[in-house]
Amino acid sequence: MTPRADFLNNVVADLRIAASFVTIVPVGSSKPADNGAIARATWALPVAGLLVGLAGGASHALASRLGLAPGMAALLALATTALITGALHEDGLADTADGLGGGRTRERKLEIMRDSRIGSYGVCALILSFGLRWSALAAIGNPWAVMLAMCAAHAAARAGLPAFMSLVPPARRDGLAASAGSPPGRSVATAFAIGTLALALALGPAKALVGLVLLSLAGLILARLAIRQIGGQTGDILGAFEQIGEILILLVAAAFLQAGS
């Protein structure tokens, strides 16, 4: 096999690992995802996010074409992305809110986060997440602008995950965060570049910078909370990071891409 063919095979394998990591689509790589394979493949997370955003945007466009109101189209777009991801990130957000908000000790917080039951903090977090994202999409209104916003939000929200995983140690010795490993610098840089490009193309350079600043601040705050309260990050924390990033980018998009603005 030539070096070029081997490179392309590795790229495809990484894309399949990333897609199986953040969606329920059965596209897992035929190559074993061990020995740091998941960590190396994290560069492709924003690409997987881009595909999720495209699906959500297409659902919104179809609903709009059928004459549904912007609010209903926005709700269907969110339902589509939740279906494709298996509500994985929403589950992480809810567990994070319950754990960080409800436990008194590190051990109790981690125990709560592993509990499949949802508490009041988790319910409130989900209501805020869906409410803010729905409001942003409904405010944008225009199907093409919604498509751009969703692609940018889903790509950029996942683009920061490799850096977060690299900088914040796992809180447990087992679990998703520990088994995935720490992404190498090349994967971190590539994911960041893809996410930044998606933001710039969708929102323009100046607005993309606003989004990047907000994402960075949110990541720093969440990292500080996670380290202080449970000693690091978990799969649930990563899901919460994605949800917060998605919300922030959609709100930025709503501020600049509203129909008629």
Side-chain angles (χ1 to χ4, degrees):
M1 183 178 294
T2 65
R4 181 177 181 181
D6 188 54
F7 172 77
L8 291 176
N9 284 337
N10 287 334
V11 168
V12 172
D14 286 352
L15 289 170
R16 294 174 67 179
I17 290 173
S20 64
F21 194 64
V22 298
T23 75
I24 61 171
V25 180
V27 293
S29 174
S30 58
K31 298 176 64 175
D34 54 11
N35 297 323
I38 294 178
R40 290 193 301 271
T42 53
W43 69 265
L45 289 177
V47 180
L50 179 65
L51 297 178
V52 175
L54 279 172
S59 176
H60 183 280
L62 177 60
S64 299
R65 187 67 179 267
L66 294 175
L68 296 181
M72 182 60 71
L75 187 59
L76 289 174
L78 291 177
T80 298
T81 58
L83 179 63
I84 291 175
T85 62
L88 174 68
H89 311 301
E90 285 83 357
D91 179 69
L93 175 67
D95 286 343
T96 296
D98 279 335
L100 299 187
R104 290 184 176 273
T105 65
R106 174 182 181 275
E107 291 71 22
R108 179 55 182 157
K109 290 176 185 292
L110 289 172
E111 181 184 350
I112 291 174
M113 292 171 73
R114 273 193 164 163
D115 193 333
S116 60
R117 293 170 297 181
I118 186 171
S120 56
Y121 286 105
V123 170
C124 291
L126 288 177
I127 290 173
L128 286 172
S129 174
F130 277 102
L132 288 171
R133 287 182 290 159
W134 176 84
S135 298
L137 293 175
I140 295 170
N142 180 274
W144 175 244
V146 166
M147 176 75 77
L148 291 175
M150 294 197 75
C151 288
H154 281 273
R158 290 166 176 83
L161 290 176
F164 196 93
M165 294 168 67
S166 178
L167 296 174
V168 183
R172 301 187 183 99
R173 292 184 178 180
D174 60 345
L176 176 62
S179 63
S182 179
R186 179 177 296 180
S187 296
V188 172
T190 302
F192 179 80
I194 294 173
T196 300
L197 180 61
L199 277 177
L201 291 176
L203 306 180
K207 294 145 191 157
L209 180 60
V210 174
L212 286 174
V213 170
L214 291 175
L215 281 175
S216 299
L217 289 174
L220 289 172
I221 293 171
L222 182 60
R224 181 174 176 81
L225 282 174
I227 292 173
R228 288 185 62 183
Q229 295 200 29
I230 59 174
Q233 45 105 353
T234 65
D236 288 329
I237 294 290
L238 296 178
F241 178 84
E242 189 281 335
Q243 284 285 282
I244 294 169
E246 194 180 322
I247 292 168
L248 290 174
I249 297 304
L250 288 179
L251 290 177
V252 170
F256 298 109
L257 298 179
Q258 291 187 39
S261 63

